[in-house]
Amino acid sequence: MSEATARSVAGTTRATAQSARALALAGVAALTLSYTSVLYYVADVTRGAETMLAVLAGSLLLGILLGRYVGTTVAGGVALSVAITGSVGYVLSIPPDQRALLFTTRVVTDTIALLTGLSVLRLTNAGVWALGVAPAPIIVSWYLAVRRRYVWSVVAGGTALSLLVLTGDAGPTTTLTGVIGGATAVGVGDVERAGGPTPQFDAVVAVVAAMVVVTASLSAAAGGATGTPFGDGGESPTVESTVVEAEDNIRILGSISLSTDVQFEISAARGNYWQTAAYDRYTGQGWVRTGETTAIEGTRAGPPGSARPLRQEVTAQTDLGSVPGAWRPVNVEGAAVRSTQQGGFRPETRIAANTTYTVRSRIPQYTTAQLRRAGTDYPDDVTATYAGLPGSTPDRVSERATEVTANASTPYDRAVAIERYLEEEKRYSLDVESPDGPIADSFLFEMDAGYCTYYATTMVTMLRSQGVPARFVVGYTTGEQVGDDRYRVRGLNSHAWVQVYFPDVGWVRFDPTPAGPREAAEERQIRQTEGNGTESGPNSTGPAEGSDTDVVNLTPTTPVPDPNVTATVGNEPATPSVAGADDGSDELSLPDLPSNRTVAVWAVTLAGLLAVGRRTGALGRVRTAVALGRQSRSAPDADAIRAYDRLETLFELRYRPRAAGETPRTYVSTLVADGAEEAALSVVDAYEQARHGDGVDKTTADDVVATVDRFVDEWSLGDRLGR
Amino acid sequence: MSDGRQAGNDTAQPTPEDPLGVSEAAATIERIVENVEQVIVGNHDAIEDILIVALARSHLLLEDVPGVGKTMLARAVATSVDCSFKRIQFTPDLLPTDVTGVNVYNQKHQTFEFQPGPVFANVALADEINRAPPKTQAALLEAMGERQVTVDGETRDLPEPFVVIATQNDVETGQTYELPLAEVDRFMKKIRLGYPNEADETELLGRVAGDHPIRSLSAVADAVEVQRARRTVASVDVREPVRNYVSRLAAHTRDHAKLGVSPRGAIALVRASQARAVLTERSFVTPDDVQSEIESVWAHRIRSGDRARDGAEVVEAAIEAVPVE
């Protein structure tokens, strides 16, 4: 009998270890999934998805096989040679002229740049880079995981994930998955090796949950509205935040608002769109500008075709992180700038308010006929850079584009057809839900309204699907004319549009966003702010006066924060909302369903709380409190035993739980010595008699049940309230 | 026939086969303990341990420094129950026959006569058992296990009750033969008396100043009562929850020590718990009985495999870890 017990105990331990191993491997798998998903995404954007899948599967298999059959030295050698092969492959894939730059200090600076937030997607050969990097961490981490070295396995996988976190390519959800996986593997791996009991799982779960929730809430505090689990309800970002900074990445967001702050004033002979940046690589979720900036000497070349010069004098009204100017800028005076691979300028440092600088541009000159004639003889580098789409782009986008452009025979006609199609089919609205899938696909097939970035992204995607090189451009519209040849440009003038490449002409602007509704929204915004300023007068203490922080939210679902503005709105004949708000204003607006990520974080929080509850015994106390009540009666022995169980439950709530190795008698007599009622001992007597002796008679059972009933009642009335 | 049986027939109507009632047995034991306490100061637990071992038909190993009253304790218990008491001082030159007895040629009758050795007693004190060579130890251990001795091919039963109290000196380990584990396992309990505390020692010095109280100690029970109490102990209930508790404890020691308790050890624990139940006037064993007996019954049977951890610690860990259900 004792041997059987020993065997079953050993069996339990083994079962615990086995389930721990399964969990630990699942953790490593989650970690692997997190960074490989990023690498796969990169490969997909650069059209290398199939190769990447093969490489990932091969590496995984190799790692597991090595772990099974090969010693540390050989495996280390294999992993090292794979890593070296990957690096060499990446170097060879770079065009020879660029490769010359690669060695010496360039490697170091590139690495530092990557580690300080340069997205992998900005590398010219991001796909090859991903293919080269992927195998080593997978092989190493799975080799170690198979050998039960979970900590080192997680170190290997974690390094890869950390690199991608530092480059900014791993989003919060991905990072969370990886971190949870890693922590689980390390924590549960420990349990497995110790062969320990289940309570340690609680600790692991609690710690992991704490990590997740702390990470999530910290990044919500630090990272602002974008990309955090709790960021959904945050302040709306603005188009201008990307336009003004002309960042290297643009993510397409949900609802946005417009600011009326004046950004700069520009003196030019003619109005134009003031471009700040162009983007070449479409990721499905946003845009990336690849390549490095270079120093410029003197004046750059203008567009390939004929052009006429335009001189612009720009006076910054706030700090500017970009150099707005008409396409195509060839020279900047009064500010230190560098040239981007896309033909634009970036300032070396931020341009301070009240700085005036001069931009000289050469505006391309063309006729419609010229564009129609331009043909499709694109330079190779243009096709390579500006005609690609991520492999994940659904086919229906290209099918729709083919449909729309069925009657168009030239790239120009195709562009016009698509532009017209979008203007007619989609409604302009600043209040949209950020879609889950690829932007262009969602905008075409699932959304009926959007703003400029949606229109522009969709148009570029459709054009590229038809083989027409096109790119996504951000900047400002002309702005408000405030004098002869003088324009005042505000945050709300920020805009996104499309440039299409025509041989011998260069980049030509198309704007698929319906101009009417957009300008209406902008004008209304200006009128509101100015009208408000005059109404409130110089003595007003309203927050609108300074208007520095006065970001008026046009989103109809959120209340306007400034009471003065609301009053003004009341006087306005038109509603203060953008087009389309009418649909929502009458209806009862239902709360939006939380995003998947929010649900996930809440689930993790709940799991953590449960684990903590179990660990601290709070859960048990709640459960037992429910079980306290009256008892139904049966045989005297069962009654006496049940009475003791209730007594123990009650004492657990009132004093402390019984320790594992503590006998009922020791437990109760200790508590009686500490002040519990002595009658409790009679319950133990009856319990022992019923459980270990020849049983109790009905009178004894009745007595102890009554005693416990009395205990429960007394506690309910008095002490429970007192506690 | 044995001395015990004759005594039983002389003094009382009931036979040694009739069990005492539980409360009667408890009262008898109480009486014996109190009686012994007239002589032995401050060793209540040790007196109970000896009686439990006696009632559970087993033997006791006392490990201690000399002069703490081991002999006096054994003698006082024997006197209190009106039993014969013999002391064997184990020395390196002690022969097995010095323990068991020897056939001596009687010239007058021209026959061999058996001269019983000191082991033929109700209470045999084997003093410093680890000083004798293994062969002599084995002779005693056989007597303990079989309750009989075999000399020159002839087997003779030992008296009933028969309890061996062996002592071990664990300080002077020179010239000793440590008892093998298999033999230590035959002792139900191993206890230490320890030095008396200040008050007890003062009391003790007061008592021995005049005539030693052992001289005036009288019997408060007899061998038949002891045997009847043994019957009572044997009839104590050990239900499944307690049996299961013991086997889970045993499994725990086996999982957490190089050598855990043997099934013999588990059986000994159940027997000792039965006796403990009688001491507390109960006709069934509870986990509390198991817990009060476990350390003295199990600690000496366990080898932890770790010098820093003795058997008592393994047992203590088992008590704490194995849930009482």
Side-chain angles (χ1 to χ4, degrees):
Chain A
M1 171 163 179
S2 52
E3 266 174 41
T5 315
R7 229 176 293 129
S8 86
V9 167
T12 316
T13 316
R14 218 174 304 123
T16 312
Q18 269 170 6
S19 56
R21 174 149 177 80
L23 251 181
L25 288 179
V28 175
L31 177 61
T32 310
L33 190 68
S34 71
Y35 61 81
T36 50
S37 72
V38 176
L39 292 173
Y40 178 78
Y41 169 70
V42 170
D44 179 62
V45 166
T46 53
R47 283 155 292 158
E50 287 87 5
T51 325
M52 184 53 120
L53 267 189
V55 166
L56 293 180
S59 309
L60 183 63
L61 196 66
L62 185 59
I64 292 175
L65 287 179
L66 287 178
R68 287 253 152 155
Y69 301 112
V70 177
T72 324
T73 327
V74 181
V78 171
L80 192 68
S81 60
V82 168
I84 291 173
T85 314
S87 318
V88 171
Y90 173 61
V91 170
L92 290 180
S93 80
I94 295 173
D97 53 328
Q98 288 189 36
R99 207 185 304 158
L101 296 170
L102 209 121
F103 294 98
T104 65
T105 56
R106 183 64 192 273
V107 172
V108 180
T109 50
D110 268 9
T111 311
I112 293 173
L114 271 180
L115 292 182
T116 49
L118 177 83
S119 168
V120 172
L121 285 170
R122 294 203 48 223
L123 294 173
T124 318
N125 281 321
V128 181
W129 184 89
L131 285 175
V133 160
I138 299 181
I139 292 175
V140 173
S141 69
W142 279 94
Y143 174 80
L144 293 166
V146 167
R147 308 208 139 209
R148 291 189 164 75
R149 304 238 182 108
Y150 301 112
V151 174
W152 290 106
S153 166
V154 169
V155 166
T159 310
L161 179 61
S162 309
L163 176 68
L164 295 170
V165 168
L166 286 174
T167 62
D169 291 295
T173 315
T174 313
T175 314
L176 280 185
T177 313
V179 169
I180 296 169
T184 311
V186 171
V188 177
D190 272 359
V191 174
E192 188 211 333
R193 222 167 330 163
T198 38
Q200 298 191 19
F201 283 109
D202 300 349
V204 173
V205 171
V207 168
V208 169
M211 287 166 64
V212 169
V213 176
V214 167
T215 320
S217 44
L218 277 186
S219 55
T226 54
T228 63
F230 297 134
D232 312 40
E235 203 173 293
S236 299
T238 57
V239 177
E240 66 188 285
S241 60
T242 46
V243 171
V244 173
E245 304 302 333
E247 288 165 350
D248 295 314
N249 296 300
I250 285 190
R251 285 185 72 82
I252 310 293
L253 305 161
S255 298
I256 57 164
S257 60
L258 295 178
S259 144
T260 53
D261 295 352
V262 176
Q263 299 292 322
F264 56 90
E265 292 197 349
I266 191 161
S267 299
R270 287 175 302 278
N272 204 314
Y273 275 25
W274 318 117
Q275 181 167 339
T276 56
Y279 295 84
D280 53 343
R281 181 168 283 166
Y282 175 53
T283 67
Q285 305 302 319
W287 290 91
V288 177
R289 175 165 57 188
T290 66
E292 288 303 298
T293 56
T294 49
I296 46 164
E297 286 158 16
T299 303
R300 275 195 319 206
S306 62
R308 72 171 171 202
L310 178 69
R311 184 176 178 282
Q312 303 136 82
E313 222 176 72
V314 180
T315 308
Q317 301 287 323
T318 71
D319 273 6
L320 288 182
S322 61
V323 189
W327 181 257
R328 166 176 186 166
V330 293
N331 174 273
V332 173
E333 282 166 20
V337 295
R338 291 172 73 82
S339 170
T340 66
Q341 299 288 326
Q342 290 75 28
F345 287 119
R346 290 202 72 181
E348 279 185 347
T349 56
R350 294 179 69 84
I351 295 169
N354 297 320
T355 312
T356 300
Y357 63 93
T358 308
V359 183
R360 286 173 206 283
S361 301
R362 293 186 63 78
I363 316 276
Q365 297 298 302
Y366 47 81
T367 62
T368 311
Q370 209 177 337
L371 295 181
R372 285 211 170 93
R373 274 201 313 273
T376 56
D377 189 13
Y378 303 112
D380 286 346
D381 59 327
V382 170
T383 323
T385 317
Y386 296 106
L389 286 175
S392 61
T393 310
D395 289 341
R396 58 180 182 174
V397 173
S398 127
E399 283 159 14
R400 176 63 58 88
T402 314
E403 248 170 67
V404 170
T405 59
N407 297 326
S409 53
T410 66
Y412 172 79
D413 290 322
R414 290 194 189 107
V416 170
I418 291 169
E419 186 182 19
R420 193 167 298 148
Y421 170 79
L422 290 176
E423 277 176 3
E424 283 167 3
E425 289 294 312
K426 300 295 171 186
R427 206 157 40 70
Y428 182 80
S429 168
L430 290 174
D431 176 33
V432 292
E433 189 99 341
S434 179
D436 288 334
I439 300 295
D441 180 64
S442 306
F443 188 61
L444 263 184
F445 296 100
E446 276 146 35
M447 302 164 69
D448 56 0
Y451 48 89
C452 52
T453 49
Y454 288 92
Y455 283 95
T457 302
T458 309
M459 178 164 171
V460 174
T461 309
M462 291 171 83
L463 281 171
R464 287 189 179 183
S465 76
Q466 300 302 306
V468 179
R471 65 188 191 180
F472 178 84
V473 181
V474 296
Y476 294 88
T477 54
T478 316
E480 182 189 5
Q481 188 154 10
V482 289
D484 285 350
D485 304 340
R486 198 163 174 79
Y487 302 90
R488 181 180 290 159
V489 181
R490 300 167 188 271
L492 51 77
N493 293 120
S494 54
H495 192 39
W497 59 92
V498 176
Q499 282 182 331
V500 182
Y501 191 86
F502 292 93
D504 302 326
V505 175
W507 292 104
V508 173
R509 185 180 76 224
F510 286 79
D511 188 352
T513 314
R518 176 177 62 76
E519 282 163 9
E522 289 173 12
E523 268 172 36
R524 203 158 37 235
Q525 195 60 44
I526 297 170
R527 268 213 314 282
Q528 266 180 30
T529 315
E530 286 178 349
N532 186 41
T534 48
E535 263 185 33
S536 53
N539 293 330
S540 162
T541 54
E545 199 187 2
S547 90
D548 261 3
T549 57
D550 192 14
V551 177
V552 180
N553 199 332
L554 283 182
T555 316
T557 47
T558 33
V560 178
D562 184 359
N564 289 327
V565 173
T566 320
T568 320
V569 167
N571 296 335
E572 293 280 328
T575 59
S577 53
V578 293
D582 303 352
D583 316 337
S585 54
D586 297 337
E587 291 169 17
L588 182 73
S589 68
L590 290 170
D592 291 335
L593 285 175
S595 73
N596 290 346
R597 194 189 296 147
T598 312
V599 172
V601 170
W602 279 111
V604 169
T605 313
L606 190 66
L609 287 177
L610 284 177
V612 169
R614 210 186 110 109
R615 191 98 177 134
T616 58
L619 210 61
R621 282 205 292 282
V622 171
R623 197 180 54 231
T624 47
V626 176
L628 247 183
R630 301 274 149 185
Q631 65 184 86
S632 57
R633 306 297 302 272
S634 54
D637 283 356
D639 284 348
I641 291 173
R642 170 89 180 100
Y644 170 75
D645 287 344
R646 287 169 65 219
L647 179 80
E648 192 177 305
T649 306
L650 175 69
F651 277 10
E652 183 180 333
L653 290 167
R654 287 186 62 171
Y655 307 104
R656 62 173 175 88
R658 179 162 69 91
E662 206 174 13
T663 64
R665 180 163 295 278
T666 325
Y667 173 62
V668 173
S669 20
T670 321
L671 292 179
V672 166
D674 289 350
E677 215 178 317
E678 262 195 62
L681 285 171
S682 69
V683 181
V684 178
D685 289 341
Y687 165 79
E688 284 180 346
Q689 189 77 41
R691 189 161 162 81
H692 303 297
D694 0 306
V696 291
D697 54 24
K698 192 161 182 335
T699 329
T700 318
D702 289 347
D703 282 353
V704 295
V705 169
T707 308
V708 176
D709 282 351
R710 184 168 59 79
F711 280 3
V712 171
D713 287 347
E714 280 171 4
W715 189 59
S716 313
L717 294 172
D719 310 58
R720 202 182 300 185
L721 293 172
R723 270 161 76 90
Chain B
M1 271 288 140
S2 74
D3 298 346
R5 190 162 286 257
Q6 282 164 11
N9 287 340
D10 287 348
T11 50
Q13 298 290 80
T15 66
E17 315 301 326
D18 297 333
L20 288 171
V22 171
S23 48
E24 219 178 325
T28 306
I29 296 163
E30 177 72 25
R31 214 160 60 230
I32 298 169
V33 172
E34 276 171 15
N35 198 52
V36 175
E37 279 188 319
Q38 291 180 16
V39 182
I40 305 297
V41 185
N43 265 317
H44 185 88
D45 290 351
I47 301 166
E48 280 190 354
D49 282 331
I50 292 182
L51 292 172
I52 283 172
V53 165
L55 292 173
R57 293 168 191 267
S58 192
H59 311 280
L60 180 76
L61 184 58
L62 267 174
E63 185 172 79
D64 229 319
V65 291
V68 289
K70 290 177 293 216
T71 312
M72 194 56 66
L73 174 63
R75 184 187 291 275
V77 171
T79 309
S80 297
V81 294
D82 196 18
C83 282
S84 57
F85 172 81
K86 295 237 174 77
R87 177 172 174 279
I88 320 163
Q89 176 63 51
F90 278 48
T91 54
D93 57 355
L94 193 73
L95 297 173
T97 47
D98 294 337
V99 175
T100 56
V102 66
N103 284 317
V104 180
Y105 185 67
N106 186 327
Q107 294 204 318
K108 196 170 156 192
H109 295 101
Q110 303 279 303
T111 53
F112 280 96
E113 274 182 4
F114 182 66
Q115 288 286 321
V119 77
F120 282 86
N122 294 118
V123 178
L125 178 71
D127 224 353
E128 300 199 272
I129 187 173
N130 54 340
R131 292 217 180 275
K135 201 169 180 183
T136 310
Q137 291 177 356
L140 177 70
L141 291 160
E142 189 218 329
M144 282 163 53
E146 314 299 328
R147 300 184 170 271
Q148 59 188 24
V149 291
T150 307
V151 177
D152 296 341
E154 200 177 335
T155 300
R156 291 181 169 82
D157 282 340
L158 291 167
E160 277 292 327
F162 172 66
V163 179
V164 173
I165 299 174
T167 75
Q168 253 192 149
N169 178 344
D170 62 348
V171 181
E172 299 171 291
T173 48
Q175 270 227 321
T176 57
Y177 303 89
E178 201 192 337
L179 286 182
L181 203 65
E183 299 184 356
V184 169
D185 210 22
R186 288 170 196 266
F187 290 98
M188 174 179 262
K189 290 187 174 218
K190 176 168 143 181
I191 61 168
R192 305 176 70 93
L193 296 182
Y195 292 113
N197 62 30
E198 191 184 311
D200 287 345
E201 191 154 11
T202 311
E203 166 81 23
L204 171 77
L205 293 175
R207 285 194 199 176
V208 297
D211 239 4
H212 197 284
I214 188 76
R215 293 177 192 282
S216 55
L217 196 70
S218 57
V220 291
D222 56 28
V224 172
E225 268 183 283
V226 172
Q227 280 176 278
R228 294 181 67 200
R230 284 180 158 193
R231 292 265 158 198
T232 315
V233 166
S235 69
V236 162
D237 271 347
V238 189
R239 293 276 162 102
E240 201 276 336
V242 172
R243 296 198 301 263
N244 179 253
Y245 180 52
V246 172
S247 50
R248 279 183 292 126
L249 286 165
H252 191 275
T253 66
R254 288 166 201 155
D255 286 347
H256 293 83
K258 198 173 115 202
L259 182 71
V261 290
S262 57
R264 185 193 292 173
I267 294 168
L269 179 56
V270 169
R271 294 243 167 96
S273 303
Q274 286 177 303
R276 173 64 65 182
V278 170
L279 253 68
T280 43
E281 271 188 79
R282 235 187 302 101
S283 62
F284 54 88
V285 175
T286 67
D288 300 84
D289 301 324
V290 175
Q291 287 192 357
S292 35
E293 293 309 305
I294 188 169
E295 191 184 326
S296 57
V297 179
W298 277 7
H300 63 288
R301 301 168 196 261
I302 294 173
R303 296 290 174 272
S304 72
D306 172 5
R307 280 182 176 280
R309 230 162 125 250
D310 61 10
E313 282 172 69
V314 175
V315 170
E316 209 170 297
I319 297 178
E320 266 179 39
V322 176
V324 181
E325 281 164 2

